[in-house]
């Protein structure tokens, strides 16, 4: 007896089920971004006082929604800094591999996905050159320290000079000054300099890959039976 189910139908079902699993069950990192302005005390040769800068924190608590979530220090995976209007000076640190020196507080969102809580402090001090990725600096920034606490200057090289300051001072830790958590699927190394970056293509999670493998295995089994 042979199966009446065409192989192309099974393949289509496999892909559809895989896509459904990828969108509904895959855990996703999320990011929030602060938009600031470089202050008059900025003296990096490559950074321009009065121009904007951004800092983004990426975190992953294993969830797949930004609604009604809490992210703690252990969930931080990456920090991304971009300086100037052209975003042509960039720095990235993989916080899973090289954690921040100090993290206080948590990030939280309400049922609608609005940011309602923010870390009160995220600081990394004396980060060695091999522990981060950077581009756009005329000279390597060497040992780096950075501060998200609403008080300190925001980014330092060496013994706190040169530095980047904020205007107003520091990076605010008020939830109102950070963007709502949004899915993040990009890499942690410093992105290509430029005012915008392509949206990363989502990848399949383990559950979706397992489902696809199983469905294609069924298709192969039916195909072999038809040849008997």
């Amino acid at each position: 007896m042979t199966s009446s189910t065409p192989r192309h139908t099974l393949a289509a079902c496999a892909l559809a089920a895989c896509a459904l699993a990828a969108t509904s069950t895959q855990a996703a990192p999320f990011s929030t971004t602060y938009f600031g302005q470089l202050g008059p005390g900025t003296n990096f040769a490559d950074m321009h006082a009065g121009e904007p800068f951004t800092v983004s924190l990426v975190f992953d608590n294993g969830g797949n929604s930004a609604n009604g979530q809490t992210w703690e220090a252990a969930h931080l995976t990456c920090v991304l800094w971009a300086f100037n209007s052209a975003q042509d000076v960039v720095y990235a640190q993989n916080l899973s591999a090289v954690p921040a020196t100090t993290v206080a507080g948590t990030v939280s969102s309400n049922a609608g996905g609005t940011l309602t809580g923010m870390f009160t402090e995220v600081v990394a001090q004396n980060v060695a050159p091999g522990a981060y990725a950077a581009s756009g600096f005329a000279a390597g920034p060497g040992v780096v320290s950075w501060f998200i606490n609403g008080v300190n200057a925001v980014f330092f090289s060496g013994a706190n000079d040169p530095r980047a300051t904020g205007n107003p001072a520091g990076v605010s830790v008020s939830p109102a000054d950070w963007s709502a958590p949004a899915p993040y699927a990009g890499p942690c190394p410093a992105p290509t300099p430029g005012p915008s970056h392509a949206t990363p293509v989502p990848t399949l999670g383990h559950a979706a890959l397992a489902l696809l493998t199983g469905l294609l295995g069924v298709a192969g089994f039916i195909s072999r039976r038809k040849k008997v």
Side-chain angles (χ1 to χ4, degrees), residues 38 47 52-53 81-90 137 154-155 164:
L38 289 167
M47 301 181 193
F53 74 90
W81 294 83
F83 301 94
N84 301 327
S85 298
Q87 294 188 329
D88 53 359
V89 177
V90 290
F137 292 87
V154 299
F155 195 90

Side-chain angles (χ1 to χ4, degrees), residues 121-204:
E121 184 174 41
V122 185
V123 171
Q125 293 180 282
N126 302 318
V127 184
Y132 61 80
S135 66
F137 292 87
V143 175
V144 166
S145 298
W146 49 264
F147 294 80
I148 299 171
N149 61 8
V151 178
N152 293 80
V154 299
F155 195 90
F156 298 88
S157 176
N160 296 343
D161 187 42
R163 67 177 59 193
T165 64
N167 184 20
V171 172
S172 171
V173 290
S174 169
D177 293 330
W178 289 74
S179 65
Y184 181 85
C188 191
T192 302
S196 62
H197 308 293
T199 301
V201 177
T203 56
L204 298 177

Side-chain angles (χ1 to χ4, degrees), residues 6-89:
R7 280 177 289 172
H8 64 80
T9 301
L10 284 168
C13 289
L15 292 174
C18 183
L20 178 61
T23 57
S24 61
T25 64
Q26 182 181 352
F30 288 83
S31 68
T32 181
T33 299
Y34 171 81
F35 297 84
Q37 183 183 62
L38 289 167
T42 299
N43 61 353
F44 274 95
D46 320 279
M47 301 181 193
H48 313 302
E51 294 195 11
F53 74 90
T54 62
V55 56
S56 299
L57 292 171
V58 183
F59 31 72
D60 187 355
N61 64 359
N64 63 354
S65 169
N67 301 338
Q69 298 291 321
T70 297
W71 294 275
E72 302 176 352
H75 300 142
L76 281 166
T77 63
C78 193
V79 63
L80 300 148
W81 294 83
F83 301 94
N84 301 327
S85 298
Q87 294 188 329
D88 53 359
V89 177

